[in-house]
Amino acid sequence: MQIWYGAIVLFSLGLGLSYLQDEPPHAVNFFVIALYFFVILYEFRGKPFSRRTYLLLSLLLTGNAMIQFFLAENNAIFGLVSLFFAYLALQGRRRLRH
């Protein structure tokens, strides 16, 4: 499972770098998704980040969703995925007792 999440992080970073010059909203989307899976990877390893990190991550994902809805062209699905991951990040924050 950890290898899968690590592969998703690397794949998202690679896609973000490839879109960085031509389509910056796509690059932002892939970088924030990579950050989400990086945080979840550390949670599965048993070394979760603080609750504030999860709150910041959910705010970043919500901001990314707004970018995808209003600034990027035809990317509503990416916005919905970001909102879903923002919700999951808030659930992860509630799971922690730090």
Side-chain angles (χ1 to χ4, degrees):
M1 186 63 103
Q2 293 177 6
I3 293 172
W4 176 250
Y5 283 129
I8 292 173
V9 168
L10 292 176
F11 182 71
S12 293
L13 286 175
L15 281 176
L17 287 174
S18 69
Y19 281 115
L20 192 57
Q21 187 173 4
D22 297 331
E23 299 179 36
H26 277 89
V28 168
N29 180 55
F30 288 120
F31 288 144
V32 174
I33 297 298
L35 179 64
Y36 170 77
F37 280 103
F38 182 76
V39 168
I40 297 301
L41 177 65
Y42 268 80
E43 184 178 343
F44 281 141
R45 286 186 173 182
K47 300 181 244 177
F49 288 94
S50 69
R51 291 181 59 164
R52 290 181 184 169
T53 304
Y54 285 86
L55 182 61
L56 177 64
L57 180 61
S58 68
L59 290 174
L60 284 172
L61 284 162
T62 304
N64 180 41
M66 295 303 117
I67 288 172
Q68 298 306 316
F69 285 139
F70 299 116
L71 295 179
E73 297 177 12
N74 300 325
N75 288 331
I77 190 71
F78 289 139
L80 291 174
V81 169
S82 290
L83 285 177
F84 179 68
F85 284 155
Y87 173 74
L88 291 178
L90 283 178
Q91 292 300 318
R93 181 180 181 264
R94 291 184 187 133
R95 245 188 338 264
L96 298 176
R97 299 286 179 206
H98 293 170

